[in-house]
Amino acid sequence: MAEITRDVLIVGAGAAGLTAANDLRKAGLSVAVLEARDRVGGRLWTDVIEGAMLEIGGQWVSPDQDALKETLEELGLSTYSRYREGESVYIGPSGELTRFTGDIFPVAPATEKIMVELIEKLDAMVAEIDPDRPWAHPNAEALDEVSFEQWLAVQTDDQEARDNIALFIAGAMLTKPAHAFSTLQALLMAASAGSFSNLVDADFILDERVIGGLQQVPLLLAERLGDDVLLNQPVRSLEWGPSTGSGTGGVTATTDDLTVRARFAILAHAPVLYNRISFVPPMPRRQQQLHQHLSMGFVIKVHAVYDRPFWREQGLSGTAFSPYELAHEAYDNTNHDDERGTLVGFVSDKHADGVFELSAEERKERILESLSHYYGPEAKSPVVYYESDWGSEEWTRGAYAASFDLGGLHRYGNDLRTPVGPIHFACSDLAGAGYQHVDGAIRMGHLVASDIVEASRTTSAAAGSAATSAAAGSES
Ligand code: FDA
């Protein structure tokens, strides 16, 4: 078993871990990034499938994502706008398709009025939430004990308004049914993106893409770290000692063929995977409990590539929504400077469970049938078809990210990012601003690195003064 020693060991070469590793290096600390997979990027994965470049994981950048934008600029990456010219389509409960422009779905005037009022009400509630501390809201407990579905049911009897408002958070963001998460969790999701209106506005939340793919962020960050990023190294165990006044008790990580000793560790992966590591001694009671209350959402990202973007010829932007369709939302996802046309659709939570009961052929047929309801029969015949299935990925286990069960956020949120001795936590799933997004992963990476730099200075100074006192003591 080979052994190495570093100041900080980082578990996970996603955007969070690699950001932290680069910051720590800049601050003069040595690092090792241990990655379970044979590639870096985690939930960022740009690949070529049957000749088509596809963003299998995260891809969109929105205007509020300052941390991600700063990283893109620093890495010299360029962005381009999502195609959005023309009309969007909406399919209502009766299956009727309506074309529209703007953000508000083309529903009956009474339903539209209710939807607008609900959006305003949610915006006002979101404005009171600090995304970094939603549990500090005076009504946090009450809001966390009511599911978003129950909250909506109290607001209105209009089922279509409820279905549409739920969609923006449930199918589209947390990728769990609206009965499975709390109103506080829904408010955090919206607050992390600036407002509820921002989630309703597809032109805001799905604004730009990176030319060449978003996985270039982790690839370029890893390139700077060279041999300090070690692939195929799933961390199996982590021994740690509690911090003392004069230093950290240190950490020792073990993979199948490597032992890494360090002063600090960062767990930079989805919190549902903490239990893949044996902690010696075990994590404290609080963390052992907390971590069980977080679970991944589940969504299939479906890519369909055509020889041309045929929907544009019909005056369609490609943007499509319906809480009543298998693919609840879909967009024009054509690559920069590509003459072929790509659609991306999303099949979420219970719908995703349902289609995974089918054979691959039947599933493809059902999903393309749903896309054809938006775009017409041509949608049924893509030249390339691919389903991103993160639920079957051992080192992710769902998509897009993790969220608390009912009541978990106010009960445990306060300790989500609290270090345990020398062990720190960073991941998009723990972020406030940028929660569940690459922006949040980068923010967490910066934050945890600056905490460790600070802790390292404090413990070095304490160790230095302890050594001086000991030396003075032995001289006297
Ligand atoms: P991430 O999960 O990326 O990285 C963790 C790493 O740790 C992984 O590489 C994993 O293999 C590794 N690991 C885990 N356990 C380990 C162990 N024991 N030992 C060693 N390594 C271990 N965001 C966005 O901003 N815009 C978007 O459009 C989208 N869309 C989107 C679509 C899909 C399908 C997905 C799945 C996700 C998105 N997202 C997104 C979310 C975004 O991709 C996500 O929030 C971040 O990439 C997460 O980055 P992290 O570094 O926090 O974790």
Side-chain angles (χ1 to χ4, degrees):
M1 177 88 75
E3 265 194 43
I4 57 172
T5 302
R6 295 286 190 279
D7 290 314
V8 187
L9 72 85
I10 295 146
V11 186
L18 293 167
T19 299
N22 273 278
D23 283 9
L24 290 163
R25 265 270 199 93
K26 279 183 210 153
L29 297 177
S30 60
V31 298
V33 183
L34 303 172
E35 168 54 50
R37 289 177 161 103
D38 61 0
R39 62 169 182 84
V40 302
R43 280 170 271 175
L44 296 180
W45 187 9
T46 311
D47 205 356
V48 175
I49 311 280
E50 295 172 35
M53 190 200 90
L54 302 179
E55 293 278 40
I56 294 169
Q59 60 169 64
W60 279 300
V61 183
S62 64
D64 60 323
Q65 295 179 334
D66 303 334
L68 172 57
K69 289 197 154 205
E70 203 178 288
T71 299
L72 294 176
E73 197 177 322
E74 213 240 313
L75 295 174
L77 295 170
S78 308
T79 57
Y80 65 105
S81 286
R82 179 173 58 82
Y83 183 84
R84 63 191 69 172
E85 285 159 39
E87 291 177 308
S88 306
V89 292
Y90 170 75
I91 296 178
S94 65
E96 190 190 349
L97 178 146
T98 316
R99 290 174 166 231
F100 71 106
T101 51
D103 303 340
I104 299 295
F105 299 165
V107 290
T111 301
E112 178 176 332
K113 185 168 175 289
I114 292 166
M115 281 180 64
V116 170
E117 283 167 4
L118 279 172
I119 293 168
E120 282 170 7
K121 184 165 185 174
L122 284 162
D123 272 341
M125 291 168 77
V126 168
E128 291 177 356
I129 297 278
D130 174 352
D132 288 317
R133 296 169 64 247
W135 47 86
H137 187 276
N139 282 339
E141 186 167 352
L143 289 165
D144 206 27
E145 288 173 354
V146 177
S147 77
F148 193 45
E149 185 171 278
Q150 287 165 329
W151 184 86
L152 284 168
V154 171
Q155 307 305 310
T156 176
D157 291 336
D158 188 314
Q159 189 62 49
E160 192 177 2
R162 275 162 34 185
D163 293 341
N164 281 328
I165 297 295
L167 177 70
F168 295 118
I169 300 277
M173 285 289 153
L174 298 176
T175 60
K176 292 179 174 180
H179 63 253
F181 57 86
S182 75
T183 307
L184 187 66
Q185 182 73 63
L187 296 177
L188 162 61
M189 188 68 244
S192 73
S195 68
F196 192 83
S197 290
N198 284 347
L199 296 186
V200 173
D201 182 359
D203 288 348
F204 180 91
I205 203 77
L206 313 179
D207 185 25
E208 293 184 305
R209 290 179 56 193
V210 170
I211 296 175
L214 195 48
Q215 197 193 356
Q216 288 172 99
V217 167
L219 287 168
L220 292 171
L221 289 175
E223 206 175 284
R224 292 178 174 180
L225 297 165
D227 293 343
D228 284 333
V229 179
L230 297 124
L231 301 180
N232 300 305
Q233 299 294 338
V235 171
R236 309 288 187 191
S237 71
L238 198 66
E239 283 181 45
W240 60 283
S243 300
T244 61
S246 61
T248 82
V251 282
T252 304
T254 313
T255 71
D256 297 337
D257 49 20
L258 187 64
T259 299
V260 186
R261 297 184 199 287
R263 292 164 62 203
F264 299 93
I266 301 174
L267 300 187
H269 53 75
V272 296
L273 296 170
Y274 296 151
N275 67 8
R276 291 300 309 272
I277 300 174
S278 293
F279 295 96
V280 185
M283 284 260 174
R285 176 191 307 105
R286 177 87 176 151
Q287 275 69 23
Q288 297 207 130
Q289 279 284 298
L290 183 171
H291 297 155
Q292 292 182 65
H293 290 267
L294 286 157
S295 60
M296 295 298 272
F298 185 37
V299 64
I300 313 172
K301 181 175 183 181
V302 179
H303 314 256
V305 183
Y306 304 86
D307 55 9
R308 64 187 210 293
F310 64 88
W311 53 94
R312 295 183 189 174
E313 295 157 14
Q314 304 163 29
L316 294 178
S317 63
T319 304
F321 296 100
S322 175
Y324 310 104
E325 276 295 328
L326 183 59
H328 66 263
E329 61 186 316
Y331 304 92
D332 185 321
N333 208 30
T334 303
N335 289 329
H336 184 65
D337 271 350
D338 193 351
E339 62 187 29
R340 297 206 282 185
T342 303
L343 290 172
V344 65
F346 296 88
V347 179
S348 181
D349 56 87
K350 286 172 163 176
H351 290 297
D353 299 342
V355 290
F356 272 117
E357 295 289 309
L358 306 173
S359 70
E361 249 337 282
E362 284 171 320
R363 186 167 60 249
K364 175 178 174 185
E365 203 177 302
R366 287 276 306 280
I367 292 172
L368 289 175
E369 171 72 35
S370 179
L371 290 181
S372 78
H373 297 165
Y374 295 124
Y375 309 106
E378 257 187 286
K380 289 188 192 175
S381 310
V383 290
V384 179
Y385 174 86
Y386 183 79
E387 294 161 3
S388 301
D389 167 23
W390 290 86
S392 63
E393 289 276 327
E394 183 182 7
W395 299 106
T396 305
R397 302 190 167 196
Y400 306 108
S403 48
F404 274 108
D405 56 13
L406 265 186
L409 180 55
H410 87 278
R411 186 172 165 198
Y412 295 112
N414 198 23
D415 279 317
L416 201 51
R417 302 184 287 260
T418 308
V420 170
I423 305 172
H424 293 244
F425 304 90
C427 178
S428 67
D429 309 21
L430 314 181
Y435 170 54
Q436 297 218 351
H437 285 87
V438 183
D439 181 68
I442 292 174
R443 284 173 197 270
M444 287 297 98
H446 288 315
L447 180 73
V448 88
S450 78
D451 286 350
I452 288 178
V453 170
E454 182 56 37
S456 167
R457 282 196 191 118
T458 316
T459 53
S460 302
S465 75
T468 312
S469 320
S474 63
E475 276 162 18
S476 60

